[in-house]
Amino acid sequence: ARLADVVLPSTQWAEEDGTMTNLEGRVLRRRRAFMPPAEVRTDIEILCDLAARLGVGRHFSYANAQEVFDEVRAATRGGVADYSGITYSRLEAGEAIHWPCPEENHPGTPRLFTESFGTPKGKARFHAIRHRSSVEEPDAEYPLYLTTGRVLAHYQSGTQTRRVGKLMEMAAEPFAELHPRAAQRYGLVNGGDVTLVTRRGVASFRVRVTAGIREDTVFVPFHWGDGHSANRLTNPGLDPVSRMPEFKVCAVRVETFQRP
């Protein structure tokens, strides 16, 4: 928000009404638990107002979340993720409905591909995969692998979970995990400080020594920012097929670090 020219305060999850589809394809009815603060609007209200000011309000004239959901039902009819048979009345009656659900009397599809797969012949496709090295391998200058990931207490960038006291008690600060022999080689001790350097940038962390990691690898979580940001270090090289950035592995150098 500090970088923004305009901030549009919008409702949060407990202040919203509508639906949510979880990872298993189950459509859930969400009901507002609290009224939002004054001047805070829903995403729908904000989008409709912006559309009106841009001269396309006729395409964004929703009165509520149910009207948006009904448009989703119409737009997905006949598609892979068919919502057309899912209605608010069914959800409010307590039905557990998974897409695809092509008709209002259809029970939904809790499990996909029980009879065949979504291919022309109905058969699954298997592909032989050959190992391909990462874009950046360790060398004399950057002799270790760096990998990033999550910890139990935090979610994504941590902007939500790091505001929760109990979660911060579980994981209060960013850290770098090293194998005991790697830590000894670099003169690092558990609970000390370390600086990690890659060809992109520098970040500092608290040392966590553990035998549960490979000796040639350093792990850091990605839930913190500023001088503790894992993304200062990661490699933006792309997978040749999926074009996914290679944020999970790169070459890194370990340096000792002194706090000012």
Side-chain angles (χ1 to χ4, degrees):
R2 291 195 302 267
L3 300 176
D5 295 312
V6 177
V7 176
L8 302 175
S10 64
T11 51
Q12 300 302 300
W13 65 272
E15 301 164 346
E16 296 174 340
D17 181 80
T19 65
M20 181 185 73
T21 304
N22 68 13
L23 291 177
E24 64 175 352
R26 184 196 299 257
V27 183
L28 305 171
R29 180 74 170 89
R30 299 177 65 185
R31 295 175 177 82
R32 173 177 279 169
F34 303 96
M35 290 301 296
E39 299 184 1
V40 173
R41 295 186 290 173
T42 67
D43 292 342
I44 294 173
E45 291 170 335
I46 292 172
L47 290 171
C48 288
D49 195 358
L50 285 173
R53 298 185 188 205
L54 292 170
V56 290
R58 64 189 182 278
H59 300 300
F60 295 83
S61 56
Y62 309 107
N64 51 50
Q66 184 172 352
E67 291 187 3
V68 176
F69 185 74
D70 286 338
E71 184 170 304
V72 171
R73 294 176 60 211
T76 59
R77 182 179 297 277
V80 176
D82 192 331
Y83 282 68
S84 60
I86 307 173
T87 65
Y88 259 43
S89 60
R90 294 184 67 182
L91 295 175
E92 290 174 348
E95 288 192 61
I97 311 174
H98 301 69
W99 63 258
C101 181
E103 302 292 341
E104 291 190 20
N105 60 356
H106 191 282
T109 313
R111 180 170 291 133
L112 296 171
F113 311 129
T114 56
E115 301 294 333
S116 65
F117 289 89
T119 61
K121 294 183 178 180
K123 295 184 177 181
R125 294 171 178 163
F126 290 84
H127 303 273
I129 301 296
R130 293 184 176 87
H131 173 73
R132 189 192 302 264
S133 298
S134 56
V135 173
E136 185 179 73
E137 289 286 307
D139 55 20
E141 188 176 3
Y142 300 93
L144 300 174
Y145 288 103
L146 173 72
T147 186
T148 68
R150 63 186 75 241
V151 298
L152 176 65
H154 293 301
Y155 178 72
Q156 304 293 52
S157 63
T159 54
Q160 297 177 56
T161 53
R162 284 188 284 107
R163 298 173 184 267
V164 180
K166 291 295 184 181
L167 297 178
M168 285 299 289
E169 288 178 12
M170 295 172 61
E173 60 183 355
F175 58 87
E177 285 189 346
L178 294 95
H179 189 275
R181 285 191 291 270
Q184 184 179 27
R185 185 163 63 249
Y186 292 103
L188 302 173
V189 296
N190 193 56
D193 298 309
V194 65
T195 293
L196 301 181
V197 182
T198 69
R199 290 180 173 86
R200 272 77 49 195
V202 178
S204 60
F205 302 91
R206 187 78 71 185
V207 175
R208 181 176 293 181
V209 178
T210 173
I213 194 170
R214 286 173 24 163
E215 188 174 346
D216 63 350
T217 302
V218 181
F219 167 80
V220 297
F222 50 58
H223 308 297
W224 282 266
D226 300 322
H228 312 297
S229 173
N231 285 339
R232 290 173 177 257
L233 308 171
T234 51
N235 186 8
L238 301 179
D239 181 275
V241 178
S242 69
R243 312 308 292 167
M244 286 284 289
E246 201 167 69
F247 292 152
K248 302 302 294 183
V249 60
C250 66
V252 66
R253 182 173 73 240
V254 172
E255 296 182 354
T256 56
F257 173 78
Q258 298 294 328
R259 290 186 179 271

